[in-house]
Amino acid sequence: MLGTTEPAVTRIVCIGGGYCALFLVKALRRAVRRGDVELVIVSRTNFHAFHGFVGEMLSGRIQPQAILSPARRVFRPARFMNAEVTAIDLDEQQLTISRLLDGREQVLGYDHLVVSVGVADDVDGYPGLREHGLLLRDYRDAWHTRNHLLQMMEMAAIEPDPVERRRLLTVVVAGGGFGGVEVATELDEWASRLCRDEFADVDRDEVNVVLVHSGERILPELQGRHDRLVDRAERFIARRTRLDVRTGTRVIGATATDVRLDDGTSIPTRTVISSTGTASSPLLDQLQVERDDRGRVIVDDTVAVPGTTGLWAGGDCAAVPHPKGGTCPQLALFAMMHGWRIGRNILRVRAGRPPKPFGFTELGDACALGRRNAVAHLRGVPITGFAGWVLWKVFLLAFVPVWDRRLRLLLDWTLTPFTGREITQLPLDDAVGLDRERFEAGQVVFEQGEIGRKLYLIWEGRVEVVRDGQVLATLGPGQHFGETAVFEEVRRTASIRALTTVEVVTMGRSGARTLSETLESFGEAVRMRPTGLPSDPADIDLTPAPVVVEEQEA
């Protein structure tokens, strides 16, 4: 018709490649293929991680890559950009992205911006969590946790000291919600299988999995509406598992060798898995919008951000009003529905129609308890035992975004009972970067005579240097220790004991040597005797003890 023009193509940019983005693509797929809209997904990773089966990945029931789906397949036909968002300008409706190789930036304009950056683990939830806690929210953290668990089993199999052996074989899971219970019960079954089939040198009675929860009962997600399911879960765990469940208490600190609880007790362990607490993404600080007390972006009932133009937020990073009151829980299913409603509302706005309110309430919940048991409900109807476990499997499998990953999961579930759990641990190279560790007063950082693999720089607190029971010196912030063993390849010539709460920065042997050879001033500084030691070395014999290393078979 004369005088008419085709409407301009609407560009929609989504930050984040999680569940919200997944269903945003579904809602806009036809419009993208028609050429009505251009959809761009920006994510730091080129995969979508399906967290529902993280527990089974940790325990080797499924292959680690089975929970990953290629982003370019998942988000097709949207355009995918593997980059990091560094700046957001709401006034100009553009964002700055940088490539991960070298930070080279480019500007990307938009008509509608969907923020679905999720949340991060709150590593400041209690002292020592940042340094010693094992996390699960990020796939790389989950992969590291899986390797750590296998490493502890391998080390325990050859450890002669019963105290250290017990410490290696104790796993503490902090948090009794869905995630914590599923991980703890899966690891309880994992320990039984591995001790029976793979680790003949480890007795099952030596392995202790402890679930710590601050509430009086586990599974707070089900309390109030489905108390009978909570009862069923607690009875099953008490009768069918070896879990040590500690409710009404919380973790208040973690070190390299123990976990401390608010009831005054401590649990000797080298493994604490955190399933508690979340923190908002730093990217949200760039948005000059209203946020709730948990740091989530406040949106209206259409999932749009009030007072802005073309800005939407969904998933865990958004406080989306629930149709029955309050806000939506931080669950994958709700994030998916947020993405769907945002997509459909953008199309309505583009067509000049008012957006619809978010109307999804619930479909169901399920929590696996290990040993082919689960508690679940489907629209309020309770399902437990083996039937609940089947429902849990089918429910999650239906939401795996690509068919080939569903097929791989089915194959793993079919073959694992015959082939055994996957126990291959990828080699962990000597870290070149820096790490942080925490020790409480009285704890030993390392013992005299141990093989040294790390250099320590004191960040906060004080330690004492002890050799053969004699205190040689005290060291404080800015001073270092452990250099003799690292650079001269000898055993530790003295013990280091914390006098106060101590935080240290550590560097692996490879990194310390590389930096020493590259930066002369660093090498001279760390090879020097710490200033806290006696000035006259003749006063104290610091001759390094020779290293005795047994030959290994080729």
Side-chain angles (χ1 to χ4, degrees):
M1 181 181 297
L2 294 178
T4 63
T5 59
E6 289 293 328
V9 175
T10 302
R11 172 179 280 183
I12 305 164
V13 177
C14 177
I15 307 174
Y19 297 106
C20 181
L22 195 64
F23 270 60
L24 176 70
V25 173
K26 289 181 180 293
L28 296 170
R29 179 166 289 139
R30 290 183 180 179
V32 173
R33 287 175 174 165
R34 287 196 307 263
D36 295 340
V37 302
E38 177 190 4
L39 177 58
V40 181
I41 308 293
V42 182
S43 176
R44 280 184 53 86
T45 58
N46 80 332
F47 57 80
H48 174 277
F50 190 80
H51 292 87
F53 295 125
V54 164
E56 296 197 350
M57 186 272 274
L58 294 179
S59 69
R61 191 190 297 270
I62 60 175
Q63 298 292 321
Q65 70 275 17
I67 66 173
L68 300 181
S69 300
R72 292 188 176 276
R73 296 181 194 170
V74 169
F75 300 124
R76 194 180 293 160
R79 182 185 179 193
F80 175 74
M81 290 186 172
N82 185 204
E84 181 176 14
V85 176
T86 57
I88 302 174
D89 188 335
L90 296 181
D91 295 330
E92 296 296 328
Q93 290 193 291
Q94 62 184 26
L95 59 155
T96 303
I97 63 173
S98 65
R99 64 183 191 180
L100 303 180
L101 173 66
D102 53 11
R104 184 176 177 178
E105 294 183 334
Q106 60 178 291
V107 176
L108 185 65
Y110 65 84
D111 297 300
H112 292 271
L113 178 64
V114 181
V115 179
S116 61
V117 294
V119 291
D121 286 290
D122 182 9
V123 294
D124 297 317
Y126 49 82
L129 173 59
R130 181 187 297 272
E131 297 85 357
H132 304 290
L134 297 169
L135 308 174
L136 301 175
R137 192 171 299 274
D138 185 271
Y139 179 80
R140 289 162 294 188
D141 291 332
W143 176 256
H144 172 69
T145 300
R146 175 188 179 277
N147 271 350
H148 175 88
L149 290 166
L150 289 170
Q151 187 179 43
M152 293 302 100
M153 290 291 291
E154 294 288 0
M155 293 172 65
I158 60 173
E159 176 59 53
D161 179 9
V163 175
E164 174 64 11
R165 187 180 175 96
R166 186 68 174 176
R167 186 180 292 122
L168 292 169
L169 292 173
T170 297
V171 178
V172 176
V173 179
F178 280 166
V181 169
E182 287 188 351
V183 168
T185 52
E186 184 68 30
L187 291 180
D188 175 74
E189 183 180 358
W190 167 82
S192 298
R193 298 277 183 176
L194 260 61
C195 291
R196 184 191 68 187
D197 301 334
E198 310 288 355
F199 288 85
D201 296 324
V202 178
D203 189 274
R204 177 61 182 90
D205 291 337
E206 295 181 284
V207 184
N208 187 28
V209 181
V210 184
L211 178 64
V212 179
H213 183 56
S214 59
E216 294 302 321
R217 305 189 71 187
I218 61 173
L219 300 179
E221 300 93 335
L222 296 175
Q223 291 176 25
R225 296 177 298 119
H226 303 286
D227 288 332
R228 293 182 63 184
L229 293 180
V230 179
D231 294 338
R232 174 68 170 77
E234 291 177 335
R235 288 197 303 270
F236 178 86
I237 290 174
R239 297 173 182 176
R240 297 283 303 278
T241 76
R242 301 192 185 192
L243 279 185
D244 178 2
V245 180
R246 305 191 187 186
T247 55
T249 186
R250 58 188 294 268
V251 175
I252 60 171
T255 70
T257 57
D258 73 356
V259 166
R260 306 195 174 193
L261 307 180
D262 64 356
D263 61 3
T265 62
S266 65
I267 305 173
T269 181
R270 292 194 179 274
T271 305
V272 54
I273 300 174
S274 176
S275 185
T276 62
T278 59
S280 59
S281 168
L283 189 63
L284 298 182
D285 296 335
Q286 298 191 29
L287 301 176
Q288 301 302 313
V289 298
E290 189 177 0
R291 294 160 67 179
D292 69 0
D293 56 359
R294 297 167 59 183
R296 300 179 298 175
V297 175
I298 294 178
V299 300
D300 60 26
D301 60 357
T302 68
V303 208
V305 180
T308 65
T309 300
L311 181 61
W312 314 75
D316 292 350
C317 73
V320 181
H322 194 283
K324 294 184 177 180
T327 57
C328 297
Q330 292 179 315
L331 297 174
L333 187 56
F334 277 90
M336 295 175 188
M337 296 301 105
H338 295 164
W340 175 266
R341 178 42 50 202
I342 291 172
R344 303 310 294 179
N345 278 347
I346 289 176
L347 293 180
R348 292 181 66 86
V349 170
R350 185 177 183 275
R353 295 181 292 170
K356 287 185 175 183
F358 180 75
F360 180 79
T361 55
E362 68 172 352
L363 178 59
D365 290 314
C367 179
L369 304 175
R371 293 170 173 80
R372 299 183 179 181
N373 267 264
V375 290
H377 75 89
L378 185 61
R379 296 196 180 278
V381 179
I383 306 172
T384 62
F386 180 73
W389 178 78
V390 171
L391 176 66
W392 172 78
K393 288 272 190 180
V394 172
F395 185 81
L396 292 184
L397 189 64
F399 286 102
V400 174
V402 289
W403 70 269
D404 64 305
R405 291 308 189 268
R406 295 176 197 156
L407 179 59
R408 292 186 184 189
L409 285 167
L410 289 171
L411 287 174
D412 283 344
W413 292 333
T414 302
L415 294 177
T416 296
F418 303 100
T419 62
R421 302 292 179 103
E422 175 57 65
I423 60 171
T424 303
Q425 176 197 358
L426 287 184
L428 299 178
D429 296 331
D430 186 15
V432 176
L434 301 177
D435 207 348
R436 294 178 66 175
E437 295 185 23
R438 179 186 177 91
F439 300 89
E440 298 292 343
Q443 285 193 307
V444 175
V445 180
F446 57 70
E447 296 275 8
Q448 178 180 341
E450 292 181 356
I451 295 178
R453 301 185 185 278
K454 289 187 288 189
L455 175 70
Y456 297 79
L457 175 66
I458 301 175
W459 181 272
E460 183 179 315
R462 302 190 67 80
V463 301
E464 60 182 3
V465 185
V466 182
R467 182 170 185 186
D468 297 330
Q470 180 182 1
V471 177
L472 307 185
T474 60
L475 305 177
Q479 295 179 295
H480 63 272
F481 56 89
E483 70 286 341
T484 302
V486 168
F487 289 107
E488 299 182 20
E489 296 192 17
V490 296
R491 293 185 184 272
R492 300 291 191 190
T493 59
S495 299
I496 300 293
R497 184 166 55 224
L499 292 173
T500 65
T501 297
V502 177
E503 290 192 14
V504 295
V505 176
T506 65
M507 179 179 291
R509 177 182 291 175
S510 174
R513 288 180 174 177
T514 300
L515 193 54
S516 174
E517 294 168 359
T518 306
L519 189 61
E520 184 176 349
S521 58
F522 173 82
E524 292 175 353
V526 298
R527 290 174 186 270
M528 291 175 57
R529 180 191 308 277
T531 54
L533 291 179
S535 57
D536 184 2
D539 293 341
I540 298 176
D541 180 14
L542 292 177
T543 305
V547 178
V548 179
V549 181
E550 297 181 0
E551 292 187 1
Q552 297 181 350
E553 294 183 5

